[in-house]
Amino acid sequence: FPIIETIKRQLLDAGAAGALMTGSGPSVFGLFDSPSKASLAQQAVISRELGDAFIATEWEREGTSNELPRRKQRGIFLG
């Protein structure tokens, strides 16, 4: 599907280190090394009406399970 390549190219042009479609489709994701790049890509995808876009984060636990996890930006996902 050409739209998949269009979305992947948009993410890469916005600074993604990589962009792929999920194995079962139809979601496309990009991995970014900074929250600002992910945010810019999100706005670009939305403004071009290429689909819904949201920024996902990875939770990293430190210490015991009773402590709150620390949040890190990890990527932008489209669905």
Side-chain angles (χ1 to χ4, degrees):
F1 295 94
I3 189 66
I4 300 299
E5 290 304 316
T6 299
I7 294 170
K8 286 169 52 178
R9 176 55 38 207
Q10 183 65 51
L11 294 174
L12 292 168
D13 289 347
L20 295 170
M21 184 177 81
T22 59
S24 59
S27 297
V28 176
F29 66 93
L31 299 177
F32 295 83
D33 60 8
S34 74
S36 60
K37 286 181 184 177
S39 182
L40 288 174
Q42 179 186 36
Q43 292 307 310
V45 167
I46 291 170
S47 70
R48 288 172 178 78
E49 299 182 355
L50 294 174
D52 295 328
F54 62 93
I55 296 175
T57 58
E58 175 184 305
W59 293 92
E60 183 177 283
R61 292 204 179 271
E62 293 183 3
T64 68
S65 61
N66 294 334
E67 294 179 34
L68 291 175
R70 189 176 61 173
R71 198 174 108 179
K72 298 191 311 186
Q73 293 290 128
R74 299 304 293 178
I76 183 172
F77 290 76
L78 311 174

